[in-house]
Amino acid sequence: MITYWHNPRCSKSRTGLDLLEQNGAQVEVRKYLEDAPSVGELRDVLSKLGIEPIDMMRTGEKRFKELGLSKSSPADELISAMAENPILIERPLAIAGDKAAIGRPPEELLSLL
């Protein structure tokens, strides 16, 4: 089972979901903008991705700048910002067991199959 953090308004997110389903994946969709992940969940996903918090963020989002965040902001501050403002989380994002992938490009999601 793949847990898919999905924003239905995002074309890349829709494309990623279609790609997974076309390849036979069982997908549990989580509309993360409505059901924001906790700080603990974000830390867990970051560990599975093996990346820094800034690499999981949409730094071009207006909210990123409104919060005064930068690429040199402390990791804990970035993680808290994502938990409180899930629009900042890069999408699409999928989790399967001890692995996770960001679908940029969407084909990256196939690594979870």
Side-chain angles (χ1 to χ4, degrees):
M1 176 64 70
I2 293 175
T3 301
Y4 191 74
W5 292 4
H6 182 46
N7 177 354
R9 295 182 63 186
C10 171
S11 63
K12 291 274 193 253
S13 192
R14 291 191 307 270
T15 299
L17 181 58
D18 288 344
L19 187 62
L20 287 172
E21 289 175 339
Q22 288 171 8
N23 282 277
Q26 288 191 333
V27 181
E28 177 185 335
V29 172
R30 178 178 182 174
K31 294 182 181 176
Y32 71 96
L33 294 177
E34 299 167 13
D35 179 16
S38 68
V39 167
E41 288 173 305
L42 289 166
R43 288 186 190 284
D44 183 55
V45 169
L46 283 163
S47 173
K48 290 174 181 180
L49 288 167
I51 62 174
E52 295 298 317
I54 193 65
D55 298 321
M56 194 171 97
M57 297 188 81
R58 298 177 56 80
T59 58
E61 279 291 332
K62 179 181 170 186
R63 189 73 181 131
F64 186 84
K65 295 185 182 30
E66 288 174 350
L67 292 170
L69 299 171
S70 72
K71 293 184 179 193
S72 61
S73 294
D76 288 343
E77 184 178 348
L78 296 173
I79 293 168
S80 293
M82 286 189 280
E84 293 168 16
N85 304 273
I87 192 73
L88 296 175
I89 300 170
E90 185 61 87
R91 61 184 181 257
L93 196 149
I95 306 137
D98 63 351
K99 298 188 299 184
I102 294 174
R104 294 287 175 158
E107 292 76 21
E108 289 291 321
L109 300 169
L110 297 177
S111 68
L112 299 177
L113 299 179

